Amino acid sequence: RGKNPIWQIDYEGSVINKIGQIGKGKYNFRNPSNIYVMNSGDFLVVDKENDRIGRFTKEFVNKTYIY
């Protein structure tokens, strides 16, 4: 188990952005298991052990959580 961050990388593998660490608060994850990118560019993170799905903008700004 690591710190559970979400990384955004470019096509060459360089890090563009990173959010999260282990925990229950905003921008924290406990076993993020899937990421889905929406047509709008927003993305959903399935946060398995926090029993929620987080929605973020492509700039990594949190929009909402679904419990």
Side-chain angles (χ1 to χ4, degrees):
R1 276 242 219 266
K3 294 185 179 183
N4 295 310
I6 303 295
W7 299 83
Q8 181 183 27
I9 57 173
D10 65 17
Y11 288 105
E12 282 116 28
S14 299
V15 175
I16 298 171
N17 209 338
K18 172 189 158 265
I19 58 170
Q21 58 186 10
I22 196 164
K24 294 182 179 183
K26 192 173 184 178
Y27 297 105
N28 296 156
F29 305 104
R30 290 177 55 219
N31 194 11
S33 58
N34 291 296
I35 297 176
Y36 299 95
V37 179
M38 304 171 71
N39 288 337
S40 64
D42 289 358
F43 61 97
L44 304 174
V45 177
V46 178
D47 189 2
K48 193 172 181 179
E49 290 184 33
N50 279 330
D51 296 320
R52 65 186 181 184
I53 297 172
R55 183 173 179 175
F56 300 86
T57 66
K58 60 186 172 187
E59 293 82 19
F60 275 42
V61 176
N62 176 255
K63 283 184 140 178
T64 190
Y65 286 106
I66 303 166
Y67 293 88

